[in-house]
Amino acid sequence: MLHELNPFRPGAGVRPPELVGRQPEIDLVDLMVAKSRVKRNDGGLIIYGLRGVGKTVLLNELHRNVERAGWVTIQFEARPGSAGPIAARQSLGRGVAMAGRRMTRFRSAVEDVRTAVSTVSSFALTIAGVSLNLGVAPSDHRANSGLIEVDLEELVADLAGPLQKNQSALAIFVDEMQDLDADLLTALLAVQHKATQSDWPFYVIGAGLPTLRRTMAEARSYSERFALHEVGALTHDSAIEALEKPARELGARFTRDALEEIVRESQGYPFFLQTYGKAVWDITPDRNIDIDVAVAGIAEGNADLDQGFFPARWDRTTPAERQYLRAIVDVGGSTASTAAVAEHLGVAAASVSPARQSLIEKGIIYAERRGYVSFTVPNMDRFILRQPDADS
Ligand SMILES: Nc1ncnc2c1ncn2[C@@H]1O[C@H](COP(=O)(O)OP(=O)(O)O)[C@@H](O)[C@H]1O
Ligand SMILES: [Mg+2]
């Protein structure tokens, strides 16, 4: 009975029993909603951080909150590689179509809504080839240029009035935003910029790897229109709460030293906390989780991480890529300069750049600063050192 109630849930995008330490982002979006009700737009939000820190569950939480506030939303995950741009446009086109369908139920200003829906139809058709049957023909002069930035801006401009009259707004949620193609990314940033200037109720809320910080810095004039929030390891107190509260609600308790040990080992990383929490819960003989259970659970949890979390990345690499990863560990630990990596491997930088590029596309490393690469997950360096075939 106790074991079946295990509240801890390691897994990508899986909602934790207690979403701790993310109040600043939740409050910021609540404020966005409040301001938009008085026709004020101070811009969108970008959340960045390593894998496993809780970006996706936070994005989902924010999405739920604005939907509850009556916003019309579109949510999709960007994908790397050559199929990415088409997939993103399909998602956007379909999302806009659904938004249009919802808007046909808006009360008030029938003429405005008809115009907006006609632009929606034209946008969905132009960007994704989606034909809508909303009782209004696609506009023959709005959102049909085939230039994503122009079309998106016209769409948002035409939706602004009806959305505002209905105390609503349009928000686009993009996960894995670092994988968005440059055209679509620029369009989203530019239209957020324009919406902020014009107080149109339109918001881009994105999440992705720390690369986004650089991307935003390079898009300087637009990036002022975004709050940039890094999410990372939880503070000590939040990490304690993430373990203690769900347990308490089920009538179980951790001893103080057990909590401290788990938090220390996890370094506050949400995915690790969930993994260890789940493991200790699975092995505890009763409702009291003491230091012995914690130590055994951590070992169990580490074995799980070595079976799942880390190999999910490592197993997808080629021998040449593994050499590259091993060299990062040897020269830098979790971050290394690409020049030092090439030197360590005894080759010219250009000859290892295909391996680097492919590792970036696989989401295993990222280039936060020019000339440097880092692992996308915490503790990947330690995992690599444990691999028997690290040198092969
Ligand atoms: N604030 C939090 N408190 C506790 N656990 C969390 C928190 N945020 C995320 N988690 C857990 O961490 C894991 C990774 O979350 P996820 O959103 O997939 O991370 P990311 O998208 O950054 O890779 C999940 O198991 C989730 O339940
Ligand atoms: Mg995620």
Side-chain angles (χ1 to χ4, degrees):
M1 169 68 179
L2 181 63
H3 289 149
E4 268 102 72
L5 292 177
N6 198 329
F8 298 106
R9 309 176 72 192
V14 179
R15 194 171 202 283
E18 195 64 38
L19 186 74
V20 300
R22 304 299 184 221
Q23 208 55 43
E25 290 75 26
I26 292 170
D27 289 346
L28 190 132
V29 169
D30 284 350
L31 193 59
M32 233 180 229
V33 170
K35 284 178 181 168
S36 108
R37 291 212 171 106
V38 294
K39 298 194 173 53
R40 211 175 111 191
N41 185 341
D42 285 336
L45 169 66
I46 305 287
I47 293 162
Y48 64 90
L50 297 181
R51 295 197 184 281
V53 295
K55 300 179 297 297
T56 299
V57 299
L58 177 56
L59 207 59
N60 290 341
E61 179 77 10
L62 300 174
H63 180 247
R64 236 188 322 272
N65 291 354
V66 304
E67 286 244 307
R68 223 178 274 135
W71 282 19
V72 175
T73 63
I74 296 166
Q75 188 175 27
F76 68 94
E77 182 181 310
R79 286 203 248 135
S82 54
I86 291 175
R89 280 158 186 73
Q90 285 293 321
S91 305
L92 189 57
R94 281 168 206 281
V96 166
M98 297 232 309
R101 214 160 265 135
R102 262 187 70 185
M103 291 185 63
T104 58
R105 296 198 293 271
F106 274 5
R107 291 169 292 123
S108 83
V110 179
E111 226 10 78
D112 269 11
V113 172
R114 281 182 70 84
T115 306
V117 170
S118 143
T119 306
V120 162
S121 297
S122 140
F123 184 86
L125 191 62
T126 307
I127 191 176
V130 176
S131 282
L132 292 181
N133 189 3
L134 297 177
V136 186
S139 168
D140 61 4
H141 64 289
R142 299 289 280 168
N144 66 350
S145 75
L147 298 170
I148 178 72
E149 186 174 326
V150 173
D151 293 346
L152 187 64
E153 182 177 327
E154 290 181 353
L155 174 80
V156 172
D158 289 359
L159 295 185
L163 285 167
Q164 258 162 359
K165 282 187 193 118
N166 287 273
Q167 294 275 299
S168 186
L170 173 68
I172 300 184
F173 287 81
V174 188
D175 202 358
E176 304 291 353
M177 195 166 178
Q178 76 283 345
D179 287 331
L180 216 53
D181 59 281
D183 266 2
L184 187 46
L185 178 70
T186 309
L188 290 175
L189 301 186
V191 176
Q192 179 69 72
H193 179 72
K194 178 72 183 157
T196 309
Q197 284 178 333
S198 312
D199 286 321
W200 291 336
F202 171 75
Y203 303 86
V204 175
I205 301 181
L209 291 175
T211 341
L212 281 176
R213 187 172 53 191
R214 193 175 97 196
T215 308
M216 296 304 286
E218 284 167 359
R220 217 171 305 133
S221 59
Y222 298 147
S223 59
E224 297 157 25
R225 307 304 186 178
F226 285 88
L228 279 175
H229 277 226
E230 176 168 23
V231 300
L234 298 171
T235 62
H236 177 266
D237 289 357
S238 291
I240 297 268
E241 193 188 352
L243 294 167
E244 207 174 23
K245 199 160 169 209
R248 198 181 328 120
E249 275 162 13
L250 293 167
R253 64 176 289 278
F254 288 87
T255 61
R256 190 72 209 178
D257 51 355
L259 279 175
E260 292 294 347
E261 184 62 16
I262 299 170
V263 168
R264 196 184 55 76
E265 180 74 16
S266 73
Q267 302 164 68
Y269 280 104
F271 195 97
F272 298 163
L273 280 169
Q274 297 299 325
T275 300
Y276 298 142
K278 178 171 186 294
V280 293
W281 194 282
D282 279 343
I283 61 174
T284 187
D286 53 33
R287 287 173 192 265
N288 195 38
I289 300 164
D290 62 17
I291 184 72
D292 294 336
V293 174
V295 168
I298 288 168
E300 196 68 33
N302 281 333
D304 285 346
L305 292 171
D306 274 6
Q307 291 299 312
F309 186 70
F310 295 117
R313 291 160 182 90
W314 183 249
D315 290 351
R316 286 186 295 133
T317 55
T318 64
E321 290 164 9
R322 288 181 185 195
Q323 270 183 0
Y324 193 91
L325 294 176
R326 176 62 198 248
I328 296 175
V329 178
D330 288 344
V331 296
S334 58
T335 296
S337 99
T338 52
V341 169
E343 194 188 315
H344 184 74
L345 292 168
V347 295
S351 73
V352 282
S353 76
R356 189 192 64 223
Q357 199 47 40
S358 148
L359 287 164
I360 289 174
E361 271 177 28
K362 290 176 181 175
I364 297 169
I365 58 174
Y366 69 99
E368 184 176 3
R369 285 179 283 158
R370 214 172 278 291
Y372 285 82
V373 285
S374 312
F375 291 114
T376 57
V377 301
N379 293 351
M380 186 74 186
D381 49 340
R382 294 207 248 154
F383 169 78
I384 289 173
L385 288 175
R386 288 196 291 277
Q387 298 318 295
D389 57 346
D391 293 315
S392 66

